[in-house]
């Protein structure tokens, strides 16, 4: 993915199948600066950086970040989690804030009112749960998500899996939200990720949905390093 911003104003996003398509998108728009967040092998990342015509900043564990943290394993902290925390830290009148990222993995990350990133949790995401039941058992089928499914008691193997995965994950999310609300007062909650609209979330506070949180957070880190 690549996103274009004018300072903090989102302009455009592109999703690509190849690095060459991504590079063409970026170079055609000639931004003044770029931030690159990559999980590719080092030689592939270096190849990507070499093809960008703009001054490019690679997000790394030793990058200057717009929040404070004593996270014990910063070298292995996911770039998406770093970006989500950076998005939070840019908010005016910062309060205790929880970011829920429902993507490949289900991630919770907390930034306090003092701009301290504390960490959070990582669990399997929606598709990962369906796939694991199929891969790690002898006979359970691979079931796909059904938005309409709502029954707690599954009356078939497929519906039992839907209940265990969909209803189970929904209850997990709501239970964690309740725990965070109990432990951290005046909590603001954001949710992002590809599966953000697949669950009915419950909170005594408003939950703000934004698919661009990670990209906006990367932009905040870039601004912080200019």
């Amino acid at each position: 993915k690549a996103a274009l911003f004018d300072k903090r104003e989102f302009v455009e996003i592109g999703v690509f199948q190849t690095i060459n398509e991504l590079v063409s998108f970026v170079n055609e728009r000639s931004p003044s600066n770029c931030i690159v967040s990559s999980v590719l092998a080092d030689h592939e990342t270096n190849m990507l950086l070499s093809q960008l015509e703009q001054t490019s900043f690679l997000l790394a564990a030793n990058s200057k970040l717009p929040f404070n943290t004593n996270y014990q394993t910063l070298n292995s902290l996911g770039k998406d989690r770093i970006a989500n925390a950076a998005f939070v830290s840019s908010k005016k009148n910062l309060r205790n804030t929880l970011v829920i990222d429902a993507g490949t993995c289900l991630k919770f990350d907390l930034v306090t009112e003092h701009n301290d990133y504390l960490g959070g949790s990582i669990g399997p995401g929606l598709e990962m749960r369906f796939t694991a039941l199929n891969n790690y058992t002898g006979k359970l089928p691979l079931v796909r998500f059904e938005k309409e499914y709502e029954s707690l008691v599954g009356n078939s193997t497929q519906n039992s899996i839907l209940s265990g995965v969909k209803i189970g994950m929904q209850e997990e999310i709501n239970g964690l939200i309740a725990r965070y609300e109990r432990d951290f007062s005046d909590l603001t909650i954001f949710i992002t990720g590809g599966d953000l609209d697949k669950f009915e979330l419950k909170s005594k506070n408003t939950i703000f949905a934004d698919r661009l949180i990670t990209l906006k957070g990367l932009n905040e880190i870039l601004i912080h390093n200019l």
Side-chain angles (χ1 to χ4, degrees):
K1 294 180 181 179
L4 183 67
F5 289 84
D6 181 2
K7 297 179 180 178
R8 286 185 168 88
E9 182 178 350
F10 171 73
V11 176
E12 184 181 6
I13 187 173
V15 181
F16 312 97
Q17 297 299 317
T18 68
I19 289 178
N20 287 337
E21 291 173 347
L22 183 151
V23 168
S24 295
F25 174 90
V26 175
N27 289 340
E28 286 171 3
R29 285 149 182 80
S30 299
S32 56
N33 293 280
C34 295
I35 182 170
V36 175
S37 174
S38 173
V39 295
L40 299 172
D42 289 346
H43 72 278
E44 294 174 304
T45 300
N46 290 334
M47 185 183 301
L48 168 61
L49 291 168
S50 69
Q51 293 181 63
L52 294 173
E53 298 172 356
Q54 294 73 29
T55 301
S56 299
F57 165 72
L58 179 65
L59 179 58
N62 60 354
S63 299
K64 186 171 66 171
L65 301 174
F67 53 82
N68 313 308
T69 185
N70 289 319
Y71 196 81
Q72 294 183 6
T73 54
L74 197 57
N75 286 333
S76 63
L77 178 60
K79 307 287 197 312
D80 49 355
R81 298 179 70 194
I82 293 173
N84 291 345
F87 165 82
V88 170
S89 72
S90 70
K91 296 300 173 186
K92 295 180 179 179
N93 302 317
L94 180 64
R95 304 191 302 177
N96 291 329
T97 304
L98 179 67
V99 180
I100 305 168
D101 192 336
T104 304
C105 293
L106 174 64
K107 292 155 287 190
F108 282 65
D109 289 285
L110 187 87
V111 179
T112 73
E113 59 186 339
H114 305 296
N115 200 31
D116 296 325
Y117 171 69
L118 300 187
S121 64
I122 306 172
L126 186 65
E127 292 303 319
M128 193 181 296
R129 298 179 193 221
F130 283 123
T131 302
L133 286 173
N134 177 240
N135 286 348
Y136 291 101
T137 63
K139 295 184 177 180
L140 289 180
L142 178 61
V143 175
R144 298 299 182 188
F145 175 83
E146 294 181 14
K147 190 173 181 63
E148 296 76 19
Y149 185 83
E150 296 180 352
S151 178
L152 175 64
V153 181
N155 60 1
S156 67
T157 299
Q158 173 163 318
N159 287 347
S160 295
I161 292 173
L162 282 167
S163 175
V165 173
K166 181 189 175 185
I167 306 300
M169 189 169 174
Q170 181 169 291
E171 292 302 310
E172 176 184 337
I173 294 171
N174 287 329
L176 286 170
I177 288 173
R179 288 282 299 272
Y180 274 100
E181 289 180 327
R182 186 188 70 190
D183 293 348
F184 297 92
S185 61
D186 198 23
L187 191 68
T188 299
I189 302 172
F190 288 91
I191 185 167
T192 191
D195 292 329
L196 67 82
D197 59 351
K198 293 181 178 179
F199 302 98
E200 296 180 8
L201 304 187
K202 298 176 182 178
S203 171
K204 62 184 180 182
N205 301 300
T206 301
I207 298 178
F208 301 94
D210 188 340
R211 293 187 180 276
L212 299 177
I213 283 178
T214 305
L215 293 169
K216 290 178 179 178
L218 289 173
N219 187 52
E220 288 298 328
I221 297 171
L222 178 59
I223 292 171
H224 190 69
N225 281 269
L226 293 180

